[in-house]
Amino acid sequence: MTQLALVIDLNVCVGCHACVTSCKEWNTSGPAGFMSDDNPYGPAPTGTFFNRVQTYEVGEFPNTETVHFPKSCLHCEDPPCVPVCPTGASYKREEDGIVLVDYDKCIGCRYCSWACPYGVREIDEHQKVMKKCTLCVDRIYDESLPEAERKPACVLSCPTSARMFGDVHDPQSAVSIAIREEGGYALMPEWGTKPSNHYLPRRKTRMHIHEDELIRADNPLKKEQREHAAPVEAPTLDDSTSW
Amino acid sequence: MHPAFSVIFLTTLIGVGQGLFLAIFTGQSYSAVELLPLEDSVQFYGTGAMIALLFLTAGLIASVFHLGHPERAWRAASRWRTSWLSREVIALPLVMALVLIFGLMHYFGWDTVLFTSKTGARLQLTLIVGTLGAIATFALFLCTGMIYAAIKFLQEWSSPLTVINYLLLGTMSGFTLATAFASYAAPDLTHFFGIWTTIITFAAFLSRSASLIRNARIKFKSSMQTALGIRHTQIQQKSMGFMGGSVNTRDFFHHKTRLFMRSIKWLFLVLVFPLPLFFLWVGMETGNGATLLTAFIIQYIGLLAERWLFFAQANHPQNLYYQTV
Ligand code: SF4
Ligand code: SF4
């Protein structure tokens, strides 16, 4: 079985919101109709978005770290939002695991948004139907696009390549390898939703320098031998033999 | 959660309708086994069922305001296998239809005695329709309660107490109205309904208090740490990604102070339980219908506050992601 999903690398994301704008641009011009955007330049802009980038501060000054955190529908493998829908408008596709809303069936009762713990379903206040990330289902299979562009708009637009897209059920896919080898994790595992989207944690690249790497010493393999009582600054035996 | 008035009215109004129907039906069952005198069909059973239907219809109308596309509401009956909301969408019209049939049969006297036992108990056709109606009414209470109790991460709701509260509070308000109605239409039943109302009110008080106590001590499973997957005790949101608010900030939080919440709690505890009981008692003693009606109106207003708090008290884990602009 295929389960398409995103893998988002928090170590790389710089919080530029390029994915947010490209997502809105692609999806508001799509066949499903516009996405609400009220007072975009006013004091209280509001509207429908599939994808949001949030910012968190971890730790206490001065030991803080800023984490930019993109969040969209995680296309859960066991989505609590689907069975609660009274009309069947919310469904999970068999063939690729994408969770979608049929805008022609949705009655706008909001029950599915209550049943998603992640707050990624937003009712469109003009069309009165529930909206959420479609993983750009209208792009990724479009054969009129060059193969390299058959990816979600957010993945293509990310300037730092913090977003990866692929089949998380194929153990050899780039996303599966990244999850496996870079410590990919799921959000709120306590609810058993089994999110398909994964996040890669912040990783620190640290260099360990030991003292004997800074101060020259005799070959440690010969440590048990008796040493010449010589100051360390003086040329050592290695200096004269190891060239 | 943000308490939506459409849902507050829907749940309280159909609660009254269901409770009133159960009360009328209880009255008839008692008279079938001759514990109570049989009342006039038109005046009491027929009219009572119509009043119940009125409340159920008003609830249905309120629910329409909650939907974005009410013209498609018929579709909502299709997923009854998985969705409690869908089951409610089926159960509500079913209850309304049975209450209507029950009322019409009494009104026009379409009734026969099917069977009389040696002791004199009569099985009437209306009693069978009434039994079906009562079963459907209980099913509707179950559906309404489970809509909320089935969402496991809304921990305040995810408990059998939610279903029990819907059942008891709805039945209680219906019985209060039945007492007032009886004082006009069948004065000899006033005490019968009054005593049942008192019993159910006490039961409802116990179960609603139990849920208040449970909610006050709840331990939340989700936290900033699980929401972000970052292991640190100090995590602060600096931006939710937008400035002017969105559905996520409007639909899932009540935006009221703790003091306001606490006042609503005490307000409903007084308006739903002791005050109506007092008016009920005075009304029963004096046989004054207006006093009994006052008891019902006060209790209904209290139930609106109770339902408001029921929604406002539920903490949705998505709020972890929406804390600071
Ligand atoms: S993230 Fe929410 S909306 Fe998306 S599949 Fe999971 S539960 Fe459903
Ligand atoms: S809002 Fe639409 S998609 Fe969501 S549960 Fe209601 S009908 Fe289904």
Side-chain angles (χ1 to χ4, degrees), chain B residues 6 14 36 47 68 89 92-93 108-109 130 151-152 155 157 159 177 202 215 225 276 293-294 301:
Chain B
S6 48
I14 63 171
L36 283 178
T47 315
V89 167
L92 180 54
F108 292 110
I151 304 178
K152 57 185 170 189
Q155 286 175 263
W157 293 351
S159 141
L177 183 58
F202 269 108
N215 289 352
Q225 286 71 30
L293 211 56
T294 313
I301 294 171

Side-chain angles (χ1 to χ4, degrees), chain B residues 16 19-20 23-24 44 51 171-201 276-277 279-285 287-296 299:
Chain B
V16 175
L20 180 58
I24 303 282
F44 187 70
I51 298 176
T171 315
M172 171 193 75
S173 59
F175 267 75
T176 312
L177 183 58
T179 316
F181 173 59
S183 74
Y184 292 107
D188 43 345
L189 291 192
T190 314
H191 267 86
F192 167 73
F193 286 123
I195 289 167
W196 268 117
T197 307
T198 314
I199 296 172
I200 301 170
T201 306
L277 276 187
F279 278 93
L280 191 81
W281 180 74
V282 173
M284 268 161 60
E285 290 302 307
N288 183 346
T291 315
L292 292 172
L293 211 56
T294 313
F296 169 72
Q299 192 168 55

Side-chain angles (χ1 to χ4, degrees), chain A residues 81-82 84-91 100-102 105-113 121 123 128-131, chain B residues 67 76 83 85:
Chain A
C81 57
V82 168
V84 300
C85 173
T87 61
S90 273
Y91 62 106
L100 288 179
V101 179
D102 184 337
K105 281 192 187 164
C106 174
I107 56 171
C109 68
R110 301 166 184 237
Y111 194 27
C112 56
S113 69
R121 286 181 167 251
I123 194 137
K128 308 275 184 205
V129 292
M130 195 51 75
K131 298 205 168 171
Chain B
L67 300 185
S83 167
L85 181 52

Side-chain angles (χ1 to χ4, degrees), chain A residues 72-76 79-82 99 115-121 132 193:
Chain A
S72 53
C73 169
L74 308 168
H75 299 278
C76 301
C81 57
V82 168
V99 175
C116 166
Y118 307 101
V120 294
R121 286 181 167 251
K132 60 176 277 304
T193 55

Side-chain angles (χ1 to χ4, degrees), chain A residues 34-49:
Chain A
F34 68 95
M35 286 159 74
S36 293
D37 205 8
D38 294 326
N39 308 315
Y41 304 106
T46 181
T48 309
F49 283 81

Side-chain angles (χ1 to χ4, degrees), chain A residues 46 53-55 57 59 71 83-84 86 103 106-107 109-111 114-116 119 125 127 185 188 190-191, chain B residues 66 68-69 72 76 79 82-83 147 153 222 226 228 234 236-239 241-242 248 250-251 316 321-322:
Chain A
T46 181
V53 176
Q54 311 188 312
T55 302
E57 188 175 84
K71 180 167 77 77
V84 300
Y103 301 148
C106 174
I107 56 171
C109 68
R110 301 166 184 237
Y111 194 27
W114 294 10
C116 166
E125 285 178 328
Q127 293 174 21
Y185 62 89
M188 292 191 192
E190 62 273 24
W191 302 117
Chain B
H66 183 67
H69 283 279
R72 300 177 185 163
R79 289 300 147 130
T82 57
S83 167
I147 287 176
F153 42 81
S222 290
T226 70
L228 302 184
Q234 297 231 341
Q236 247 186 31
Q237 186 170 47
K238 289 292 168 186
S239 147
F242 48 91
N248 303 85
R250 291 190 287 268
D251 250 21
H316 200 291
Y321 295 109
Y322 298 93

